Amino acid sequence: MFSHLSLISLNKRTPKFVVLIALSFFLFSSPDATAEKVKNIIFMIGDGMGYNHLHLTQELSQKKLFMFTLPHQGIVFTASADNPVTDSAAAATALATGYKTTNHTLGKDAQGKDQKTILEILKGRGLKTGLVTTTDITDATPAGFAAHVHNRKEKLKIAEWYLKNHVDLLLGGGKKHFLDLTPQFKKDQYLLVYTPAELSALHRLQGKKLLGLFHPSDLNYEMDREEIPEMKNEPPLSTMAQKALELLAPSPKGFFLMIEGGRIDHAAHALDMATLSKEILEFDKAIQAVYQFSKKRKDTLLIITADHETAGLSMPETTDYAYLNSQTISFNQMVRGFKKESITQVLSHYAKLTPTQEEINMIEQSKDLEVHERARVLGSLVSKKAGLTTLSLDMFKVGNTHGHTSSPVPIFSFGPQAEVFQGGQDNTDIPKKILRIIHAPSH
Ligand SMILES: [Zn+2]
């Protein structure tokens, strides 16, 4: 207390009321005196999730997103060390280590030096750790919390880092990167699960760790759950989140869990806003499940943010919400449908769109591109018909994030000391704040 007070220079001329105000400020704001202790941290990240993506989802679903009901909200600036527009690797590094780095770098600062992540620091203090995502688990966002590589594409190295860090729980896609490592994961006491049934049958880790992989690469979009029969092998994000909480909650020293809605970004890159809104609804459902868990306890801090905005979305007066709502499958699936049916058939059936000859040519010319890039060509036509404003196809080609923007993103928080995330902040402030408030012995 006295060390706090010594920060203000008091002298005989200082009026009494100023001293009183200063004293009461420190008495009532001192974290040691009044704050509740934080044992568990749940950090949720909507990849590419900007304010307009959230509001578009509310307009399309005609309901308020649960995250907007949380008591503390703020705003986060996202620039990386070398670009006002960050990619997911530099953003995850900032959110996990508190250091800015160059785009595509993971777990290293801008000089290329490894920096400890919040997951590693808390693991070192005896907390259990977990990473959950709808993408390939070696993708940039989860990797930023437990790997140190120069390039986010070094996926095998990232998988090895997870092993090296003994991350207690890993749930997502990306099975193809773990094939050679399976014996080593088994040796390190990992239980391996590959189906939702195997996952739901697990109720205690009992000293073991968990690697659950449900797709060779990214899980499919929620939009396509009816359309793709194999999706029954992929648990929704809210199911994975609930299971992670059930398995990590018994940890005596608490846990750190990162949960990512990873495919929000992918849908935004494809300008597939109807599909994006379904990803956000599932992410919001996962938030609600986590909130229910946190609400019952006084020791669990929940933080929800995004790593950056994708696609520069806005909804002018021309926006046709009913049209967007009529879409029943993702653009990725429509592109795959071109193999069986003509472009005109697919577009008129699934996108209620009668393409001009010029537009058909444009889609045909994109046939050598990857599925998600072809999906964006389709997305540009649908966005135009839907009256949405987004980046143009040309803008997606320039730069090194292929369609991200520097728009600030939201942050929501709940639980003990959640108010510290209110207001404006840099992405690097978030892990620093978490470390400042978490109650865990540092040795
Ligand atoms: Zn992206």
Side-chain angles (χ1 to χ4, degrees):
M1 193 59 61
F2 289 107
S3 62
H4 283 312
L5 272 180
S6 65
L7 293 174
I8 316 172
S9 59
L10 300 175
N11 59 42
K12 277 179 193 161
R13 271 188 224 152
T14 312
K16 262 189 195 139
F17 76 93
V18 172
V19 178
L20 267 173
I21 289 167
L23 248 175
S24 56
F25 174 77
F26 284 114
L27 276 173
F28 294 106
S29 69
S30 164
D32 327 87
T34 54
E36 287 169 318
K37 304 292 185 204
V38 177
K39 181 180 175 190
N40 306 314
I41 305 274
I42 305 162
F43 195 176
M44 302 182 71
I45 300 173
D47 201 307
M49 183 183 79
Y51 281 103
N52 288 349
H53 305 74
L54 293 173
H55 187 55
L56 176 69
T57 304
Q58 295 194 127
E59 290 287 352
L60 291 176
S61 64
Q62 283 296 296
K63 65 173 217 192
K64 185 170 181 175
L65 286 170
F66 179 77
M67 63 184 104
F68 283 118
T69 69
L70 290 172
H72 304 290
Q73 305 188 11
I75 191 165
V76 182
F77 300 95
T78 65
S80 72
D82 63 339
N83 195 325
V85 180
T86 189
D87 82 321
S88 289
T93 302
L95 293 170
T97 69
Y99 284 86
K100 297 262 184 215
T101 193
T102 48
N103 281 357
H104 310 307
T105 305
L106 283 166
K108 293 171 181 284
D109 62 24
Q111 285 71 46
K113 186 167 171 266
D114 286 11
Q115 292 296 344
K116 266 201 185 304
T117 73
I118 190 163
L119 180 146
E120 291 167 330
I121 292 167
L122 296 176
K123 175 89 186 173
R125 295 185 191 175
L127 280 78
K128 298 271 184 216
T129 57
L131 299 172
V132 175
T133 183
T134 47
T135 62
D136 177 337
I137 190 84
T138 66
D139 205 13
T141 305
F145 286 83
H148 306 269
V149 293
H150 284 291
N151 194 305
R152 57 187 284 176
K153 287 185 185 147
E154 298 172 83
K155 298 202 160 228
L156 289 176
K157 273 196 196 160
I158 292 166
E160 282 170 9
W161 266 109
Y162 292 166
L163 189 61
K164 212 185 287 186
N165 269 321
H166 311 289
V167 182
D168 296 280
L169 178 142
L170 294 158
L171 296 176
K175 209 190 293 178
K176 63 183 177 191
H177 309 299
F178 290 83
L179 300 177
D180 294 338
L181 290 170
T182 305
Q184 282 160 270
F185 271 89
K186 279 188 180 156
K187 210 173 137 204
D188 196 34
Q189 302 295 306
Y190 275 86
L191 302 167
L192 272 62
V193 301
Y194 300 111
T195 66
E198 288 171 346
L199 182 66
S200 76
L202 257 184
H203 296 288
R204 291 301 286 265
L205 286 178
Q206 289 173 317
K208 304 231 176 198
K209 297 187 276 288
L210 175 63
L211 176 62
L213 301 171
F214 308 101
H215 195 281
S217 56
D218 299 326
L219 304 196
N220 284 290
Y221 288 124
E222 281 305 320
M223 175 67 115
D224 297 324
R225 204 162 265 286
E226 307 279 299
E227 177 74 11
I228 305 175
E230 309 88 74
M231 256 193 99
K232 67 178 187 309
N233 296 320
E234 301 171 20
L237 183 64
S238 56
T239 305
M240 292 194 283
Q242 276 168 300
K243 186 51 78 173
L245 294 174
E246 183 189 346
L247 295 173
L248 294 175
S251 168
K253 288 190 174 171
F255 63 84
F256 172 85
L257 172 64
M258 194 289 297
I259 301 170
E260 186 199 20
R263 303 219 66 202
I264 297 167
D265 175 64
H266 296 178
H269 277 281
L271 295 174
D272 190 347
M273 298 308 165
T275 295
L276 172 139
S277 75
K278 296 284 194 283
E279 291 301 300
I280 287 179
L281 286 176
E282 181 58 30
F283 184 61
D284 198 51
K285 198 173 160 192
I287 293 170
Q288 201 161 357
V290 171
Y291 169 81
Q292 292 303 337
F293 173 91
S294 312
K295 197 178 69 157
K296 288 190 216 120
R297 333 181 31 128
K298 294 243 178 296
D299 60 359
T300 302
L301 174 64
L302 166 59
I303 303 151
I304 301 129
T305 190
D307 52 354
H308 54 76
E309 195 270 357
T310 303
L313 172 69
S314 68
M315 297 84 76
E317 282 187 67
T318 45
T319 309
D320 185 345
Y321 296 101
Y323 169 60
L324 285 168
N325 259 337
S326 69
Q327 190 182 323
T328 53
I329 64 170
S330 71
F331 296 160
N332 275 12
Q333 281 307 104
M334 289 189 211
V335 167
R336 291 185 183 114
F338 294 155
K339 283 184 196 141
K340 289 178 240 154
E341 291 172 275
S342 76
I343 289 170
T344 312
Q345 276 172 322
V346 171
L347 289 190
S348 64
H349 185 183
Y350 293 108
K352 314 272 179 298
L353 198 77
T354 314
T356 62
Q357 190 54 47
E358 194 186 343
E359 288 167 343
I360 293 172
N361 293 346
M362 198 167 123
I363 294 172
E364 290 215 307
Q365 280 157 14
S366 72
K367 70 178 185 302
D368 296 328
L369 299 177
E370 297 208 35
V371 171
H372 67 273
E373 284 173 286
R374 283 199 94 183
R376 185 185 307 140
V377 177
L378 208 67
S380 69
L381 303 183
V382 170
S383 297
K384 195 170 93 190
K385 176 159 172 170
L388 290 171
T389 317
T390 64
L391 303 187
S392 67
L393 287 180
D394 287 339
M395 288 177 189
F396 278 95
K397 288 180 200 145
V398 290
N400 66 12
T401 68
H402 306 291
H404 297 181
T405 74
S406 67
S407 294
V409 293
I411 183 165
F412 309 89
S413 56
F414 173 79
Q417 304 187 55
E419 64 278 4
V420 306
F421 299 96
Q422 264 177 211
Q425 60 219 290
D426 190 68
N427 54 6
T428 52
D429 294 332
I430 297 170
K432 291 176 195 160
K433 287 180 183 178
I434 293 175
L435 284 177
R436 209 157 58 222
I437 63 182
I438 189 164
H439 173 64
S442 54
H443 47 80

